[in-house]
């Protein structure tokens, strides 16, 4: 059976930590491809400083374009409304019935996974893949049978990047040149 990784999120903005995590699982689990899916309206994140969905989609394309295993999808943006992972996985399962689905998450999302819409049904559709986002944060409990990444945490977050932009700092070390240029050219995260 072929396998596909699904990596969704606000990607506000996407950064090298996202890229590193997705590549790790692509390599470890030999995914034929990984579908990167920016949410239209994130359910689990504040949308106070959320960049437009089309901007986040374009930044994801810039970040992941050099690795042909990645496909950046606008499926949640086209669907509109709140972006529920269950609905997305159900759609992918119908499109690719011969694929095993793996859902890639940061440990922050795993810790609240039990609050997700239809989380038990998500577990019937997909296997969870998770990595720590903070140094020293261990997954003491793994009640959902997630595959845990064995790689050191990378101290980078979209929140910190937005704060750096607002402070006039260079974000290239965290996003790469293309995303940093896009953020600057579009005047994102300044207010």
């Amino acid at each position: 059976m072929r396998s596909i990784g699904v990596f969704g999120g606000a990607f506000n903005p996407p950064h090298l930590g996202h890229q590193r995590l997705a590549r790790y699982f692509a390599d470890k689990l030999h995914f034929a491809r990984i579908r990167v899916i920016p949410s239209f309206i994130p359910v689990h994140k504040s949308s106070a400083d959320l960049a437009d969905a089309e901007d986040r989609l374009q930044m994801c394309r810039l970040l992941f374009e050099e690795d042909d295993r990645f496909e950046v999808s606008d499926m949640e943006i086209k669907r509109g409304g709140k972006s529920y992972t269950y609905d997305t996985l159900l759609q992918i399962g119908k499109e690719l019935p011969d694929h095993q689905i793996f859902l890639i998450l940061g440990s922050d999302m795993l810790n609240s996974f039990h609050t997700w819409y239809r989380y038990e049904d998500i577990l019937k559709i997909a296997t969870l893949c998770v990595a720590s986002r903070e140094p020293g944060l261990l997954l003491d409990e793994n009640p959902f049978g997630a595959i845990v990444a064995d790689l050191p945490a990378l101290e980078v977050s979209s929140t910190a990047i937005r704060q750096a932009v607002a402070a006039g700092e260079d974000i290239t070390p965290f996003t790469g040149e293309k995303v940093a240029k896009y953020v600057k050219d579009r005047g994102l995260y300044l207010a």
Side-chain angles (χ1 to χ4, degrees):
M1 179 176 268
R2 299 185 67 178
S3 59
I4 183 170
V6 176
F7 191 26
F11 299 113
N12 190 38
H15 54 69
L16 297 176
H18 293 133
Q19 184 187 69
R20 178 175 173 250
L21 176 60
R23 281 185 174 160
Y24 172 87
F25 281 115
D27 293 341
K28 178 178 174 131
L29 300 175
H30 311 288
F31 294 145
R33 62 183 157 165
I34 292 185
R35 193 173 288 184
V36 178
I37 308 171
S39 55
F40 182 66
I41 299 175
V43 178
H44 302 282
K45 303 271 185 178
S46 166
S47 58
D49 52 1
L50 186 66
D52 181 79
E54 289 298 326
D55 284 323
R56 293 180 288 111
L57 179 69
Q58 185 57 33
M59 288 187 285
C60 284
R61 287 179 174 148
L62 292 170
L63 184 68
F64 290 101
E65 70 184 354
E66 293 178 15
D67 189 328
D68 61 7
R69 295 175 294 180
F70 293 94
E71 165 195 331
V72 177
S73 170
D74 63 356
M75 64 189 294
E76 289 189 355
I77 294 169
K78 282 184 176 176
R79 190 168 60 226
K82 289 188 176 180
S83 299
Y84 290 103
T85 301
Y86 170 76
D87 295 333
T88 300
L89 295 177
L90 205 59
Q91 184 177 341
I92 292 170
K94 288 177 183 174
E95 289 173 20
L96 303 169
D98 59 337
H99 282 63
Q100 184 177 2
I101 301 173
F102 293 84
L103 178 63
I104 301 169
L105 307 170
S107 57
D108 57 333
M109 291 288 102
L110 183 70
N111 292 333
S112 65
F113 183 73
H114 66 283
T115 67
W116 288 27
Y117 174 69
R118 298 188 73 167
Y119 79 93
E120 291 171 325
D121 292 322
I122 290 172
L123 294 171
K124 293 174 187 171
I125 300 170
T127 300
L128 304 183
C129 299
V130 65
S132 178
R133 290 182 54 171
E134 302 170 27
L137 178 63
L138 301 175
L139 296 171
D140 296 329
E141 297 180 22
N142 187 359
F144 308 113
I147 298 170
V148 180
D150 180 25
L151 75 165
L154 186 63
E155 293 185 70
V156 60
S157 75
S158 295
T159 301
I161 292 169
R162 292 192 305 273
Q163 291 169 347
V165 171
E169 298 171 13
D170 179 22
I171 62 167
T172 304
F174 308 108
T175 63
E177 288 181 17
K178 293 176 183 176
V179 172
K181 182 178 185 318
Y182 187 92
V183 168
K184 183 176 181 179
D185 289 351
R186 298 279 295 164
L188 301 177
Y189 311 120
L190 293 174

